Amino acid sequence: MLLQVLGTAAGGGLPQWNCACPGCAGARAHPERRRRHAALAVRTGEGRWYLVNATPDLGDQIEATPALHPGAGSDTRRTPVAGVVLTDAELDHTLGLARLREARDGVDVVATPPVRDAVREGLRLDVLLAPYTSVRWRDLPPGLGVPLDGSAGIHAAAVPVSAKRPRYAAGTGPDADTWSVALRLTEAATGRTALYAPALAVWSEAFDEAARTADCVLVDGTFWDDDEPLRAGFSTRTATAMGHLPITGPTGTAHRLARLPGRCLYTHLNNTNPLGDPHAEQHKILTEWGLEAATDGMVIEL
Ligand code: MLT
Ligand code: MN
Ligand code: ZN
């Protein structure tokens, strides 16, 4: 299985346009610290890829990734981008769908029902895109999941992680644990498995099972510790209350990840997270635990 890390930042990116906190200022002064919104691409066949989440940086993410460039063969408008899988309906994971309006053959979008309905009825992206291209929705079920189009035999399945809905969808849709899911990707031929969870509100039994059986886990690293949002002064809620288990502390994910057999990387880093600075001592702590912070442009071969 081949994965391309397209971005590793939480909403707003690094730097965030209206922020001069140490993390954002550092990324302006040192452009190599910049991080785009968290997203992934998975190869589903020869010259075929699915994007996992469509971020506001989608256009730049495709341009920064030669494997996603169009023009293989004689057809200059042929794109390797075959579709999109959504883990949730948050703006930083869905606004990029509008960037796909030029799609000649329509866009295949795989999502859970609450996420699909929020994008269709809340963001009205289907209505917006209808005069330009067609969006074909497919359900993202738990268990064995659905096959992604391509010869590699990649299946995508949902592992529910949070009932938290986007703020724009407050009061709409069902109460469901499928508002935010981890994505389990499996490759039929090799049995290789990756688990992608840019948001993780609780470490459930189902998530534990999925994590233990994955060759690679890319997980919510929004906040280093639970009080970070309070300390940074941008929220009155802890990381956990915001729907993101912190990396460290008793409720943190690090001690659980450190016990897993697969390779574990953090992604969706908020601009307050010290891991945004590649020289921060927190990277050494991660290394001691056998964990990593993912970086934009990273290629993961399983
Ligand atoms: C999140 O990751 O919790 C969301 O993206 C927050 C938001 O954008 O409001
Ligand atoms: Mn987010
Ligand atoms: Zn900032």
Side-chain angles (χ1 to χ4, degrees), residues 10-11 90-93 164 167 198-199 222 242-244 268:
E90 295 289 351
L91 293 179
D92 51 322
H93 291 161
K164 192 188 98 172
R167 276 184 263 171
T222 311
M242 291 177 74
H244 298 283
H268 195 272

